Amino acid sequence: MNEAVQTLATEALLQALFVFVLAAFVGYEVVSKVPTMLHTPLMSGANAVHGVIVVGAMLVAASAEGPLRIVLALLGVILGTINVVGGFVVTDRMLEMFKRRPDAKP
C-alpha cells in the first residue's frame, strides 16, 4: 500500500514537472517572439489573467484542512491579488501615456 502511494506521488510529481517545463518553454517562445515595444502590454495582460490563480487559491482555501494548507492558500490569494492589481495598475499607467494632454497642440 505504501509503495503504491509513493508510485502515485512520483507520477504526479513527474506530471507536474512536465507541465512546468512545457509551460516555461512555451512562455519563453511566446515572449521572445513579441516585439520589445509590446512586452509591457503583454505582461500587464498576463498579470490580469492571473486572476485564475486567485480563484484557484480561494478554492484550495475553502477545502483546506490544517493550518499549513490554510496559510499557503492565503499566501496564494494575497500574492495572486497583488499580481492582478499590479497588472491593472501597469496597464492604466501605460494607457495614460497614450492620452492627449490638454496643453498639447494637435
Side-chain angles (χ1 to χ4, degrees):
M1 175 85 175
N2 194 14
E3 195 171 304
V5 171
Q6 285 182 343
T7 303
L8 285 175
T10 304
E11 288 179 12
L13 180 64
L14 284 176
Q15 287 177 350
L17 188 62
F18 176 75
V19 169
F20 177 74
V21 170
L22 186 63
F25 177 74
V26 169
Y28 176 78
E29 287 298 317
V30 168
V31 171
S32 67
K33 303 292 187 260
V34 173
T36 308
M37 190 174 166
L38 296 177
H39 275 195
T40 302
L42 177 69
M43 290 300 111
S44 64
N47 287 350
V49 172
H50 200 255
V52 173
I53 302 299
V54 174
V55 172
M58 286 193 291
L59 289 175
V60 169
S63 64
E65 296 176 7
L68 179 62
R69 290 182 182 179
I70 292 173
V71 168
L72 288 175
L74 181 64
L75 188 64
V77 170
I78 291 170
L79 292 176
T81 303
I82 289 171
N83 202 13
V84 169
V85 171
F88 281 116
V89 169
V90 168
T91 302
D92 188 52
R93 285 187 66 191
M94 194 176 54
L95 291 176
E96 286 289 326
M97 292 174 18
F98 293 107
K99 286 185 180 175
R100 254 181 209 216
R101 295 184 183 146
D103 59 337
K105 294 180 181 177

